[in-house]
Amino acid sequence: MEKIIRPMSGYLAFVLSILSFFGGIYAVVQASRYDSGGWTVLAILLAIAFIFISKGIMIVNPNHSRVLTFFGKYVGTVKQNGLLWVNPLYRSQNISLRAHNLNGQTLKVNDKMGNPIEIAAVIVWQVNDTYKAAFEVEGFQQYVQVQSEAAVRHLATSCPYDRMEDETAEITLRDGGEKVNELLEQELNERLFAAGIMVREARISHLAYAPEIAGAMLQRQQATAIVAARSKIVEGAVGMVEMALEQLSRKQIVTLDEERKAAMVSNLMVVLCGEKAATPVLNTGSLYQ
């Protein structure tokens, strides 16, 4: 479990290290001049003091931390910024607390219905627990990459690409939008919790059918769009024919028997539903010729 510690300021230690350094130089000069054992001992002591003090000085930049261990035992984490001094025997590991962007590579996987698709995600993450990041996993940055790829693959296999394959699907990768991103973010947080990583945002950045079926799926989408458009056209044409017959009957413009009504309906449907403009044929004779 992460433990925050506050070491003492390093400015005093910095001044003492400078004094011991120059004092040691002065003692060495005096010892070489007078050949005195006392100056030699003092030079050695000041050299040891300089090494001891200066080794404990460390600088912690903003949004960074230092994980301290003492002969293999976790001591604590320093999140305080500035010039600090700790026990020189401590070993420190620098861990950044800044937010990181992971632009995942495009993966080729099968969706829930078995269709090969291409998918990629952009993930924003940061270290939330330095103890877990330092000691619970081997290389937390690589751990984030591997688990992120696994989460994206699992999401792709859990949802269909669209409702063309599964009309009863509640969530699809194509139309899921924020819901799909929420599912991805939730799964990433569950997977990366062991490493002390918090995912701040996760979004699908690339989604498409694999090249080998992209052409077939495009034709299928076009066919679906054409069928939907034709259905709308036929629905409108039937309404117009019905309205025309009703108007002719109500205003008594012309009286048509059932056979002529059928012919009129057929002609109107051809005119209204045809892809090209119909070529009119003028009847200069009677109605029944």
Side-chain angles (χ1 to χ4, degrees):
M1 183 176 180
E2 185 182 65
K3 180 174 63 175
I4 305 299
I5 61 174
R6 289 182 168 273
M8 63 180 294
S9 175
Y11 291 100
L12 178 59
F14 179 75
V15 172
L16 292 176
S17 65
I18 295 298
L19 292 176
S20 61
F21 177 75
F22 287 105
I25 294 177
Y26 178 78
V28 170
V29 173
Q30 293 298 109
S32 62
R33 178 181 298 179
Y34 300 106
D35 194 18
S36 172
W39 285 108
T40 302
V41 173
L42 179 60
I44 294 174
L45 293 177
L46 289 175
I48 294 174
F50 170 75
I51 295 174
F52 182 83
I53 296 173
S54 61
K55 193 176 184 302
I57 297 175
M58 67 179 183
I59 298 176
V60 181
N61 295 317
N63 278 334
H64 282 74
S65 65
R66 292 291 186 95
V67 178
L68 304 178
T69 57
F70 182 69
F71 292 106
K73 181 181 179 181
Y74 174 67
V75 176
T77 300
V78 178
K79 293 185 177 180
Q80 181 181 349
N81 304 137
L83 185 65
L84 307 170
W85 188 83
V86 296
N87 189 332
L89 298 180
Y90 288 169
R91 293 189 60 185
S92 67
Q93 178 182 351
N94 184 31
I95 295 181
S96 174
L97 302 178
R98 297 175 180 175
H100 300 264
N101 280 322
L102 175 61
N103 189 9
Q105 62 179 349
T106 301
L107 306 175
K108 185 177 179 180
V109 297
N110 294 333
D111 69 351
K112 184 179 180 180
M113 306 307 297
N115 298 315
I117 63 173
E118 294 180 347
I119 186 171
V122 174
I123 301 167
V124 181
W125 61 275
Q126 66 180 150
V127 175
N128 189 41
D129 191 318
T130 56
Y131 175 83
K132 291 182 179 180
F135 304 113
E136 293 293 337
V137 295
E138 183 68 31
F140 65 91
Q141 293 183 344
Q142 183 181 4
Y143 186 86
V144 170
Q145 294 180 354
V146 174
Q147 292 300 322
S148 298
E149 179 178 332
V152 173
R153 288 183 180 276
H154 182 261
L155 175 67
T157 58
S158 301
C159 302
Y161 182 88
D162 54 25
R163 288 186 171 83
M164 293 177 61
E165 293 287 342
D166 187 0
E167 296 181 356
T168 62
E170 297 181 0
I171 301 175
T172 63
L173 297 175
R174 183 181 179 184
D175 302 326
E178 292 298 326
K179 186 63 177 178
V180 173
N181 295 330
E182 290 177 4
L183 290 175
L184 178 60
E185 183 176 337
Q186 180 181 355
E187 181 167 356
L188 283 169
N189 277 315
E190 292 175 356
R191 288 175 175 269
L192 300 178
F193 177 78
I197 305 297
M198 177 183 67
V199 177
R200 299 177 60 177
E201 185 180 6
R203 291 186 175 275
I204 301 298
S205 60
H206 175 77
L207 182 64
Y209 281 112
E212 56 265 29
I213 68 167
M217 289 302 177
L218 178 60
Q219 292 179 355
R220 182 174 182 177
Q221 292 174 356
Q222 291 174 342
T224 302
I226 291 174
V227 170
R230 287 294 178 187
S231 299
K232 202 69 176 178
I233 291 174
V234 171
E235 181 181 351
V238 170
M240 293 177 67
V241 171
E242 182 182 3
M243 182 179 63
L245 293 175
E246 183 181 352
Q247 292 284 344
L248 290 173
S249 177
R250 186 172 69 249
K251 294 183 178 181
Q252 297 182 352
I253 297 175
V254 63
T255 302
L256 300 175
D257 57 16
E258 295 301 323
E259 182 180 354
R260 295 301 174 181
K261 284 183 180 180
M264 179 180 177
V265 169
S266 175
N267 292 333
L268 285 176
M269 291 298 294
V270 170
V271 172
L272 295 174
C273 297
E275 293 185 1
K276 298 181 180 179
T279 302
V281 177
L282 300 178
N283 184 9
T284 58
S286 66
L287 181 65
Y288 297 97
Q289 290 182 352

